[in-house]
């Protein structure tokens, strides 16, 4: 019997196992090394060849005479021009292809990055499904075929980079060049051997470090923090994945010197987990390296990766932790407009602005406020934003950066508003910074409307140098010095005017209560009045302005104060305030009203003579059938929220056509010492030849030689180092030509002479200015200038921004106010004052006497508390220290406090509301300027921009006609033509009588707070302002009337004075002071 052989120890091998019996990993690795050394040899050979050729060329040049020592050769021989060869052209082309300077280069860089990531993904797939080395047929492997295509592209990109490299040897050792060596050649070897070796393909993960560059090319990363964060994260991830790839390779292969017997099966993602645990120093120990190569690698990996991890992670956390939550982009909602607010963003400035801009009575509720500032908001400001969460968005950045302007979508913004730092140490530097912000905004988008706050008047000229700055488009500048001092100057003519105007352009709501005093209810009702613009209906066409104003007041309960006039020469429209009976209303004329709400003003637009002539209920005045729908202007044109002015063909007479003044009459009015008084070139202000400061300055030590009455005293706290206040803006309204020369009030400035030296160039051409060198806190200085006989005492200060406690910025002004109130002007004080004058009798001959023809026999007040004063405050909270007798709580808002209601205090913070007023009503700021500046024109601003100051001009019929414009005044009811209304009279009767008889437009009352006391017992400082009272409001004999009186009232009543010899009437007829 034949035996059968035993097959127990015989095993049949599979084709794959038989193929892997002979490994070829060295072939893949050698292909990479051979490629690297071949490239290195090529570069070195090329350098040796180039060096040899260069040496040969140098010797030829020396033999031919270039640079040689031949005695017969010229001293200098220009070598031939270098020729740009093909290699230089090729290098430039290749450099443009791989850089981000061109569109093609950026596209190529992005494509290379995406293909590197795709190749890395293929490696992830292969490492999860295949062994380190496999015998898979290349023609049947889709991943190998795709990877080969990628590597062919990478090879061409490598040659382009090599060609563009200025230093070829350094290029060979770059990290991305090494990646190409160890990934591109093995892919071709795999095709030849029909094998696949994962090898060093994991090194493609190093391409992740190019993510920051790619994102910068795509304009995704714009800030330094985002770029740095992306660099840290991409570097950390690429090192992490690369280390995991090497561990996966050696652990799954084993040590070659141990015949690969110590290998262990680890997936790539287990290796990722292992390297992360090792980098973070956690080291759970569940996975470890078995191979010697793996352990050696981990020694160096721990040293490098641990240091990197310890350095990168804290920096990443710091960047992420300090990343602002206000760093996003604004997303505009459909149907909403947004306004950008920038500049000086603090709680004080923004709260004052937002209280008016976001007021509930605003008709335009579809406006969102976008605020941008370089610093993050403080807790107080952040709380303010949260209270207006749906209306306000804050972004951290600067308008000087185009990227930040893009974030806030400035191109679609309705306007951009720039706030100024009112307490800065250098106003000119602050204005320059804000003007630069405007330039940046206009450069980015030249069609945007910009409204800027400026501190100094003369800096407005720089805005005209911006090419895209256009006043007609709605660009405007709110000059704080001009407006603040303009309000104060008009308060010298009509005490309390600054409070009245501040309440008009500020949006406020009021609630009367029977528990409050009557004076407070009357005042609060006036605070609810605002300025509005509206087009007049066709029923007003043909009426004179006084007739239209009377109709609006009597029938519509509206106060019409001005109209928009179109000039016959087709130039820009202008605003005429109380123009008189010479002007007739044309069609589509825009009027300026004082009313409680925009809905009330619409009554002027809807009024129809046929349908509404006998209406009693004002709410019935709506659009009637007589008014077709087609003629109704758009809402944005009616309310004034649009900056465009309609094109109107009807014409109104020009200023010079309103009234023709005879030259002889006008010249006879202003003759002083036989000389005709001169005006400036615009004929808007009284002018005199430049005076030296020495001729106008004096002090009590050398004697004060002036006898003053009905003058203005300016107590100014400033020194040689103080910033400019801009006193020209205070003096100009008091020197307007709609005053006769004998009506001009002498201005006495009590301050340090060293400060006036800086301002004198802007003041030297105004007449009747006296400078008293000394401190306003010195009572001797105050008595010397007859402060008890002045019409107004103004207290100003150049605040020091370096004061740590903001409550101390007004310390000098408050002390001065309290010091004046504590003074007594009885017989003893008069004797002391006379003693001062007699001691300086010898000095009086060298100075001219300055007296006033107006009320020259005035006795004056006996107590300093009765001196009319107006104190400017930098901090609203300090108003509580001005009047010790008031009953205001410390936290009371400024406008409700008694000093502000009485017109004895003014804070520059109220001017923040003018920014929103200017935005919502494009004509509001022009109207306010016309009222308070006395006639400042764009022509004058151009003259002042040249830096030559105000220049004189010659009087002519045209220039004298420009004097015929109204001015702010205050008339006492008990001492004038209105005395009959003081007893049982009402405000409506006074309004109609003054308008019909004298062309005077009344718009408010100045009433004693305590009406139970007699006229002699009430100090002047205890009056309060009532804005636009109702027609049935009862009058008192002690009341004073705020009014806009025309210039021609003087001439109109001169002839009447000849017929009627009443003393009370003569005071008004001669244009005297009604106080």
């Amino acid at each position: 019997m034949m035996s059968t052989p035993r097959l127990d120890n015989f095993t049949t091998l599979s084709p794959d196992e038989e193929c892997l019996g002979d490994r070829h990993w060295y072939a893949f690795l050698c292909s990479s090394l051979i490629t690297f050394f071949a490239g290195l040899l090529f570069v070195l050979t090329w350098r040796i060849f180039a060096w040899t050729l260069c040496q040969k060329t140098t010797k030829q040049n020396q033999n031919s005479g270039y640079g040689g020592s031949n005695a017969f050769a010229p001293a200098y021989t220009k070598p031939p021009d270098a020729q740009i060869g093909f290699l230089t052209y090729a290098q430039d082309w290749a450099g443009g292809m791989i850089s981000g300077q061109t569109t093609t280069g950026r596209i190529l860089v992005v494509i290379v990055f995406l293909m590197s990531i795709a190749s890395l993904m293929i490696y992830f797939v292969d490492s999860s499904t295949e062994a380190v080395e496999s015998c898979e047929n290349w023609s049947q492997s889709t991943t190998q075929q795709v990877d080969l295509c990628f590597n062919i592209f990478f090879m061409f990109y490598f040659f382009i980079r090599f060609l563009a490299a200025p230093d070829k040897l350094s290029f060979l050792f770059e990290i991305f060049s090494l990646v190409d060596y160890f990934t591109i050649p093995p892919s071709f070897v795999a095709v030849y051997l029909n094998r696949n070796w994962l090898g060093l393909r994991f090194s493609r993960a190093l391409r992740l470090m190019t993510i920051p560059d790619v994102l910068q090319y795509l304009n995704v990363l714009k800030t330094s923090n985002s770029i740095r964060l992306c660099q840290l994260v991409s570097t950390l991830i690429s090192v992490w994945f690369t280390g995991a790839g090497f561990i996966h390779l050696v652990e799954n292969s084993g040590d070659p010197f141990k015949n690969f017997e110590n290998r262990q099966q680890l997936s790539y993602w287990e290796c990722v987990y292992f390297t992360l645990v090792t980098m973070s120093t956690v080291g759970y120990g569940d996975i470890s390296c078995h191979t010697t190569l793996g352990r050696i690698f981990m020694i160096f990996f721990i040293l490098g990766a641990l240091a990197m991890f310890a350095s990168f992670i804290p920096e990443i956390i710091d960047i992420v932790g300090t990343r602002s939550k206000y760093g996003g982009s604004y997303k505009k909602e459909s149907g909403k407009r947004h306004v950008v607010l920038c500049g000086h963003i603090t709680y004080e400035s923004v709260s004052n602005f937002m209280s008016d801009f976001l007021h509930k009575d605003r008709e335009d509720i579809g406006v969102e406020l976008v605020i941008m500032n370089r610093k993050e908001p403080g807790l107080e400001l952040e709380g303010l934003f949260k209270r207006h969460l749906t209306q306000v968005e804050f972004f951290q950045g600067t308008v000087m950066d185009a990227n930040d302007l893009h974030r806030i979508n400035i191109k679609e913004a309705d306007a951009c508003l720039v706030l100024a730092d009112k307490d800065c140490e250098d106003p000119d530097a602050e204005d320059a910074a804000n003007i630069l912000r405007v330039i940046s905004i206009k450069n980015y988008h030249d069609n945007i409307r910009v409204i800027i706050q400026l501190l100094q008047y003369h800096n407005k000229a720089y805005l005209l140098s911006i090419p895209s700055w256009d006043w007609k488009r709605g660009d405007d500048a709110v000059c704080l010095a001009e407006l603040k001092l303009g309000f104060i100057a008009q308060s010298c003519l009509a005490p309390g005017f600054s409070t009245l105007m501040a309440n008009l352009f500020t949006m406020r709501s009021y609630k009367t209560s029977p528990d409050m005093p009557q004076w407070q209810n009357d005042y609060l009702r006036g605070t609810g009045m605002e300025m509005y613009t509206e087009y007049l209906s066709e029923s007003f066409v043909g009426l004179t302005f006084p007739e239209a104003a009377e109709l609006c007041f009597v029938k519509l309960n509206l106060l019409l104060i001005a109209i928009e006039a179109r000039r016959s020469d087709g130039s820009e429209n202008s605003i005429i305030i109380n123009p008189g009976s010479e002007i007739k209303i044309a069609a589509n004329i825009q009027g300026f009203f004082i009313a409680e709400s925009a809905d009330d003003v619409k009554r002027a637009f809807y009024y129809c003579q046929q349908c509404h002539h006998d209406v009693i209920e004002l709410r019935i005045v709506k659009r009637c059938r007589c008014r077709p729908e087609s003629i109704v202007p758009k809402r944005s044109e009616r309310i004034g929220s649009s900056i465009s002015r309609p094109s109107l063909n009807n014409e109104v007479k020009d200023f010079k056509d309103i009234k023709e003044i005879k030259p002889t009459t006008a010249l006879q009015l202003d003759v002083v010492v036989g000389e005709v008084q001169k005006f400036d070139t615009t004929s808007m202000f009284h002018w005199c030849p430049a005076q030296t400061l020495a001729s106008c300055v004096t002090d009590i030590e050398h004697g004060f030689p002036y006898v003053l009455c009905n003058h203005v005293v300016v107590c100014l706290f400033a020194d040689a180092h103080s910033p400019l206040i801009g006193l020209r803006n205070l003096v100009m309204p008091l020197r307007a030509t709609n005053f006769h020369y004998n009506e001009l009030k002498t201005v006495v400035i009590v301050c340090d002479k060293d400060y006036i030296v800086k301002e004198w160039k802007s003041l030297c051409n105004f007449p009747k200015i006296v400078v008293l060198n000394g401190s306003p806190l010195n009572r001797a200085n105050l008595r010397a200038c007859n402060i008890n006989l002045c019409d107004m005492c103004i207290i100003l200060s150049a605040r020091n921004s370096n004061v740590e406690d903001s409550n101390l910025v007004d310390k000098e002004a408050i002390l001065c106010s309290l010091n004046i109130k504590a003074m007594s002007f009885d017989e003893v004080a008069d004797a002391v004052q006379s003693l001062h004058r007699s001691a300086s009798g010898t000095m009086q001959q060298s100075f001219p006497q300055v007296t006033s023809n107006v009320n020259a026999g005035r006795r004056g007040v006996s107590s300093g508390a009765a001196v009319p004063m107006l104190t400017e405050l930098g901090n609203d909270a300090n108003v509580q220290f001005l009047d010790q007798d008031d009953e205001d709580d410390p936290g009371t808002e400024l406008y409700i406090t008694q000093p502000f209601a009485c017109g004895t205090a003014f804070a520059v913070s109220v001017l923040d509301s003018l920014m929103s007023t200017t935005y919502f009503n494009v004509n509001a700021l022009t109207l306010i300027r016309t009222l308070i500046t006395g006639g400042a024109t764009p022509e004058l601003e151009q003259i002042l921009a040249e830096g030559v100051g105000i220049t004189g001009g010659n009087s002519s019929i045209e220039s004298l006609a420009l004097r015929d414009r109204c001015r702010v005044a205050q008339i006492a009811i008990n001492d004038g033509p209105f005395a009959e209304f003081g007893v049982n009279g009402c405000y409506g009767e006074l309004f109609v009588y003054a308008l019909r008889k004298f062309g005077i437009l009344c718009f408010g009352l100045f009433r004693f707070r305590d009406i139970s006391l007699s006229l002699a017992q009430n100090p002047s400082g205890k009056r309060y302002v009532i804005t636009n009272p109702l027609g049935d409001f009862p009058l008192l004999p002690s009341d004073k009337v705020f009014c806009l009186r025309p210039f021609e009232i003087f001439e109109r009543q001169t002839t009447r004075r000849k017929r009627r010899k009443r003393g009370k009437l003569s005071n008004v007829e001669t244009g005297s002071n009604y106080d």
Side-chain angles (χ1 to χ4, degrees), residues 815-957:
L815 290 177
C816 182
S817 174
L818 298 178
N819 182 46
I820 295 174
K821 291 179 180 180
M823 294 178 66
S824 176
F825 303 97
D826 52 14
E827 295 180 359
V828 176
D830 291 339
V832 175
Q833 190 172 10
S834 300
L835 182 62
H836 280 290
R837 290 179 179 172
S838 61
S840 59
T842 57
M843 297 297 299
Q844 294 184 15
Q845 298 177 358
S846 60
F847 288 89
Q849 283 196 348
V850 181
T851 59
S852 177
N853 296 329
V854 182
N855 294 335
R858 172 178 166 185
R859 172 66 176 82
V861 297
S862 59
S863 172
V867 175
M869 276 188 295
L870 178 56
T871 306
E872 184 227 350
L873 299 176
N875 190 342
D876 295 357
N878 289 333
V879 71
Q880 60 181 316
F881 305 118
L882 288 179
D883 195 345
Q884 303 299 319
D885 299 331
D886 61 28
E887 301 174 356
D888 300 324
D889 296 328
T892 305
E893 290 187 66
L894 175 68
Y895 80 97
I896 305 178
T897 60
Q898 292 187 33
F900 187 82
C902 297
T904 60
F906 183 81
V908 70
S909 62
V910 302
L911 298 180
D912 289 332
S913 301
L914 265 179
M915 295 289 286
S916 57
T917 302
T918 305
Y919 167 72
F920 286 107
N921 192 334
V922 67
N923 296 310
L925 188 58
T926 305
L927 176 63
I928 293 172
R929 282 202 195 103
T930 307
L931 272 173
I932 67 172
T933 60
T937 60
E939 179 186 359
L940 179 62
E941 292 182 0
Q942 291 282 3
I943 295 174
L944 296 178
E946 299 297 328
V948 297
I950 297 179
T951 57
N954 298 321
S955 299
S956 62
I957 296 178

Side-chain angles (χ1 to χ4, degrees), residues 518 1007-1014 1018 1024 1036 1038-1039:
Q518 182 61 38
R1007 170 169 291 186
F1008 280 123
R1009 193 189 67 177
D1010 194 349
I1011 60 177
S1012 61
L1013 300 178
S1014 63
N1018 269 299
Y1024 66 97
L1036 297 176
S1038 60
D1039 289 344

Side-chain angles (χ1 to χ4, degrees), residues 136-264:
E136 185 178 3
N137 193 346
W138 179 84
S139 61
Q140 298 177 357
S141 177
T142 305
T143 57
Q144 290 189 49
Q145 295 172 2
V146 174
D147 190 58
L148 178 64
C149 296
F150 287 165
N151 283 305
I152 293 174
F153 179 82
F154 293 148
M155 182 176 62
F156 284 107
Y157 185 67
F158 175 86
F159 289 136
I160 294 176
R161 289 170 49 230
F162 178 79
L163 188 61
D167 188 354
K168 303 296 190 292
L169 186 61
S170 299
F171 170 78
L172 295 179
F173 292 92
E174 290 181 358
I175 185 171
F176 296 127
S177 299
L178 296 176
V179 171
D180 289 336
Y181 298 146
F182 293 105
T183 55
I184 296 176
S187 63
F188 294 95
V189 176
V191 176
Y192 176 76
L193 297 177
N194 264 335
R195 286 172 177 257
N196 184 25
W197 185 59
L198 294 179
L200 302 179
R201 286 166 54 188
F202 57 82
S203 60
R204 286 289 176 194
L206 294 174
R207 277 285 180 183
L208 293 174
M209 289 191 292
T210 62
I211 291 179
D213 299 330
V214 174
L215 294 181
Q216 289 182 72
Y217 292 151
L218 298 177
N219 205 24
V220 176
L221 299 181
K222 301 176 182 179
T223 63
S224 58
N225 281 344
S226 61
I227 295 174
R228 180 57 180 164
L229 179 62
C230 189
Q231 289 176 345
L232 293 173
V233 174
S234 60
T235 303
L236 190 63
I237 293 177
S238 61
V239 172
W240 176 23
F241 282 3
T242 303
F246 188 85
I247 294 297
H248 177 268
L249 173 64
V250 296
E251 289 299 313
N252 284 274
S253 299
D255 293 325
F257 48 83
K258 291 185 178 181
N259 200 21
F260 305 105
E261 294 178 353
N262 59 342
R263 66 176 181 269
Q264 64 170 329

Side-chain angles (χ1 to χ4, degrees), residues 963-996:
R963 303 183 65 184
D964 190 9
R965 60 190 191 274
C966 74
R967 68 175 188 255
V968 177
Q970 195 177 83
I971 303 176
I973 291 181
N974 67 332
D975 187 19
F978 307 143
E980 58 184 293
F981 298 100
V983 180
N984 298 326
C986 63
Y987 180 78
E989 296 173 352
L990 171 64
F991 181 91
V992 175
Y993 177 79
L995 194 59
R996 290 180 179 179

Side-chain angles (χ1 to χ4, degrees), residues 589-607:
I589 283 293
Q590 190 173 211
F592 296 81
F593 298 88
I594 295 178
E596 291 189 16
S597 67
D599 291 334
D600 293 346
V601 178
K602 291 178 182 178
R603 293 196 288 262
F605 179 74
Y606 293 135
Y607 177 74

